[in-house]
Amino acid sequence: MAEFTMELNDEQKEVRDWLHGFAADVIRPAAAEWDEREETPWPVIQEAAKVGIYSLDFYAQQYFDPTGLGIPMAMEELFWGDAGIALSIVGTGLAAVGVLANGTEEQIGTWIPQMYGDANDVKVAAFCSSEPDAGSDVASMRTRAVYDEAKDEWVLNGTKTWATNGGIANVHVVVAVVDAELGSKGHASFIIPPNTPGLSQGQKFKKHGIRASHTAEVVLENVRVPGHCLLGGKEKLDQRLARARERAKAGNGERVKNAAMATFEASRPAVGAMAVGTARAAYEVALDYAKTREQFGRPIIDNQGVAFQLADMRTSIDAARLLVWRASWMAINGKPFTAAEGSMSKLFASETAKKVTAQAVQILGGNGYTREYPVERMHRDSAIYTIFEGTSEIQRLVIARTLSGMSIR
């Protein structure tokens, strides 16, 4: 087990500086254009693939970093560049985590490479969990998967929404209901291979922020996939469902993790790191502006009203990063989240990003409200962190339930 440390080692520093350079030289110059276009920045993703950032090898190296800091470090630097483009680069990772969290070794080896493609033929993947009537309330999920035993196939029907890369992905990972009586315990995850009949893109959303990231509905109409596309396999699913039914009969309130929650628990600290990157970027712009912008014959940072805001901004950013790093270290080292530390990290970092970017706009004044300065875009982008992969309200609910042991509603 790696000891917890706040100091990156030499190798991590080298990777951090490399990512920072890519974010500064490639992502930032393209940020405003792709935000305005509201399209997937394929040329930037391809550049990331060429240098090895958008690849299974890079993601695996960071994911399995024994300190747990590889992924949050990478997320912070890329999202410091731009949240929309960065999400287009790392969005495939959520689907990959879904396979890593629930799949067999064979499934991991088969499907994750197909999610990324290669530098000459870049692909993306999508993780599809939310539905029009089932966002935070995963127990209300309506997408169904029915097993056709004669053909050893699963038949999926339903509509997913808010899917990053939904409809344009090479591989979709879809969470569906296999036993409606068990609520969220009756869910399973499925791989939908490329060009599978019945899967189509529905509405593409025009968003407030992260506009360079493709977000859309995914419609499933009698989508048939082979039995081996059930993540974890049918034997494991049958065992899990049997245990859940036994607990239900006995009135046992012990919780059983469902497929979507396993993915979200693994990814929440990473989302916190994204928020830290955006907050840090806005803070740095505001700090530089405050040092050079003069009013009444002196830089505005000479005024306590501005200086104290910057002090609070930096303090909150550093505190958020520490919470993210702690949760990431705990996760990789098998430490249980006894106080919902993963949710804590996402909650605090997300709220910090919204507050810090708003303060940055305020410090820049009228300039901050225009698209001539990047804090306007950063402020729009920051809103998503308190919404996706569990709203701030859901994070508070998870934390409160964990601390109290009560089924708080």
Side-chain angles (χ1 to χ4, degrees):
M1 181 178 67
E3 293 185 1
F4 180 71
T5 176
M6 292 182 288
E7 181 67 26
L8 298 177
N9 59 41
D10 289 342
E11 183 178 349
Q12 290 169 328
K13 289 177 182 177
E14 184 177 343
V15 172
R16 179 199 61 191
D17 293 345
W18 172 51
L19 291 171
H20 186 82
F22 183 84
D25 298 339
V26 180
I27 293 178
R28 280 205 168 178
E33 175 189 351
W34 291 98
D35 177 72
E36 292 288 345
R37 292 176 63 167
E38 299 191 52
E39 297 175 358
T40 301
W42 291 107
V44 183
I45 299 174
Q46 188 167 32
E47 286 301 312
K50 286 179 180 178
V51 300
I53 292 173
Y54 187 78
S55 70
L56 171 61
D57 288 344
F58 174 76
Y59 192 83
Q61 287 173 10
Q62 305 316 309
Y63 187 85
F64 292 110
D65 181 339
T67 70
L69 303 186
I71 289 294
M73 176 193 65
M75 296 298 121
E76 179 176 338
E77 294 304 327
L78 292 173
F79 280 74
W80 172 90
D82 176 70
I85 292 178
L87 190 57
S88 288
I89 293 173
V90 308
T92 293
L94 184 59
V97 168
V99 176
L100 287 168
N102 301 297
T104 64
E105 289 188 9
E106 182 178 356
Q107 289 170 330
I108 292 169
T110 298
W111 296 112
I112 293 184
Q114 294 187 48
M115 293 179 174
Y116 288 92
D118 56 48
N120 296 317
D121 187 20
V122 170
K123 305 293 185 183
V124 294
F127 181 76
C128 308
S129 176
S130 294
E131 298 184 2
D133 296 317
S136 298
D137 183 12
V138 294
S140 296
M141 190 176 293
R142 295 180 181 178
T143 297
R144 295 290 189 267
V146 177
Y147 185 58
D148 183 341
E149 189 170 359
K151 295 184 177 181
D152 185 27
E153 292 180 339
W154 288 90
V155 185
L156 285 80
N157 284 280
T159 299
K160 295 297 182 178
T161 193
W162 306 121
T164 299
N165 297 330
I168 66 171
N170 193 48
V171 176
H172 291 76
V173 178
V174 175
V175 181
V177 177
V178 294
D179 189 328
E181 294 182 359
L182 294 175
S184 61
K185 301 178 183 69
H187 296 175
S189 289
F190 298 85
I191 290 285
I192 312 298
N195 303 314
T196 297
L199 184 147
S200 62
Q201 178 184 307
Q203 176 187 6
K204 178 186 175 183
F205 296 105
K206 296 181 74 66
K207 305 187 298 295
H208 175 64
I210 56 167
R211 301 196 306 190
S213 173
H214 176 96
T215 309
E217 290 181 332
V218 174
V219 180
L220 303 136
E221 296 180 308
N222 292 321
V223 172
R224 285 183 168 268
V225 297
H228 61 75
C229 286
L230 166 65
L231 289 180
K234 193 168 187 304
E235 182 179 352
K236 183 178 178 181
L237 173 64
D238 289 343
Q239 292 172 354
R240 177 166 63 81
L241 295 177
R243 290 196 299 269
R245 294 186 189 106
E246 296 251 343
R247 292 188 178 98
K249 287 180 182 178
N252 189 336
E254 183 181 352
R255 293 177 186 168
V256 180
K257 292 181 182 177
N258 63 62
M261 288 300 102
T263 300
F264 289 144
E265 285 185 12
S267 62
R268 277 174 178 160
V271 175
M274 298 173 189
V276 170
T278 299
R280 189 183 112 212
Y283 158 77
E284 290 176 0
V285 172
L287 177 62
D288 289 343
Y289 186 88
K291 289 179 178 179
T292 57
R293 171 68 168 171
E294 291 191 0
Q295 290 286 279
F296 305 106
R298 60 179 182 173
I300 61 173
I301 199 170
D302 280 353
N303 298 298
Q304 286 187 2
V306 173
F308 285 7
Q309 279 195 78
L310 289 162
D312 287 343
M313 292 159 73
R314 176 59 186 268
T315 299
S316 295
I317 291 166
D318 282 12
R321 182 184 297 108
L322 288 174
L323 284 171
V324 167
W325 282 18
R326 179 184 69 168
S328 301
W329 174 83
M330 291 176 68
I332 198 68
N333 286 287
K335 298 286 185 180
F337 287 165
T338 56
E341 288 87 350
S343 291
M344 282 185 184
S345 69
K346 192 218 178 245
L347 170 64
F348 189 80
S350 298
E351 296 291 340
T352 292
K354 282 189 70 173
K355 183 177 180 181
V356 166
T357 55
Q359 289 174 308
V361 170
Q362 191 69 24
I363 289 171
L364 269 67
N367 286 331
Y369 198 66
T370 71
R371 294 189 184 181
E372 297 300 314
Y373 288 80
V375 293
E376 180 272 340
R377 184 179 67 253
M378 294 167 183
H379 184 42
R380 286 189 285 109
D381 291 342
S382 69
I384 194 60
Y385 299 127
T386 63
I387 298 172
F388 72 175
E389 294 198 51
T391 64
S392 288
E393 291 74 20
I394 289 296
Q395 306 308 322
R396 291 185 175 98
L397 186 64
V398 170
I399 295 165
R401 284 176 173 175
T402 304
L403 296 177
S404 67
M406 305 289 289
S407 296
I408 300 169
R409 304 183 70 84

